[in-house]
Amino acid sequence: MITTILVLMILVAILLIIVILVQNPKGGGISSEFGGGSTQMFGVQKTGDILEKMTWGFFAFLLVASLSTVIIYKTVGSAATTDSDVNVERATSAPALPTAPAPTAPATAPQGTPTVPAK
C-alpha cells in the first residue's frame, strides 16, 4: 500500500512540475498561445484558472499523501519492526557465563617454608 502511494506521489510531483512550468508568471500561460486576450469570443480564456486549480490540487494531494504515508508506516511498520528488533536482540546477546574468581597470591609466605639466607 505504501509503495502504491509513493508511486502516485512521484507521478503527481512530475505533473505538478509540468503544470507549474506551463504557467506564465504574468498571467498569459497557455491562453495567450491560442490568440488569447480578453477580446476572444470563443476558445480558451480561463486556462490560468484551470492551471492554478490543478497546481493547488496536486499540492494538496502531495501533502495529504505524505502525511498519510507517515501515519500508515508508523502504525503498520512499527509492529513489524518491534517484533524483529526483539528477535535481533535475543539472537545477538549471549547469556553471560559465570566466571570463577581469579586465584590470589598470598601476601606472606606460608608458615612452614624455610627462608634462604642471602649471601
Side-chain angles (χ1 to χ4, degrees):
M1 173 137 178
I2 293 177
T3 307
T4 306
I5 294 174
L6 291 176
V7 169
L8 285 174
M9 288 174 61
I10 291 170
L11 291 174
V12 168
I14 292 170
L15 289 173
L16 180 63
I17 291 170
I18 291 171
V19 167
I20 289 174
L21 289 176
V22 166
Q23 292 178 5
N24 187 3
K26 294 183 181 175
I30 292 179
S31 63
S32 65
E33 296 296 325
F34 296 110
S38 60
T39 60
Q40 184 177 6
M41 189 172 280
F42 299 105
V44 181
Q45 293 180 1
K46 296 286 185 177
T47 352
D49 293 337
I50 293 171
L51 291 176
E52 184 177 348
K53 288 179 183 178
M54 287 174 61
T55 304
W56 282 108
F58 288 151
F59 169 72
F61 175 80
L62 285 175
L63 184 68
V64 170
S66 62
L67 291 176
S68 64
T69 304
V70 169
I71 292 170
I72 291 172
Y73 183 74
K74 282 188 176 182
T75 57
V76 174
S78 65
T81 56
T82 304
D83 292 340
S84 65
D85 289 343
V86 171
N87 293 335
V88 169
E89 288 176 3
R90 287 183 188 160
T92 57
S93 63
L97 297 174
T99 57
T104 58
T108 60
Q111 294 267 339
T113 56
T115 57
V116 179
K119 294 186 181 184

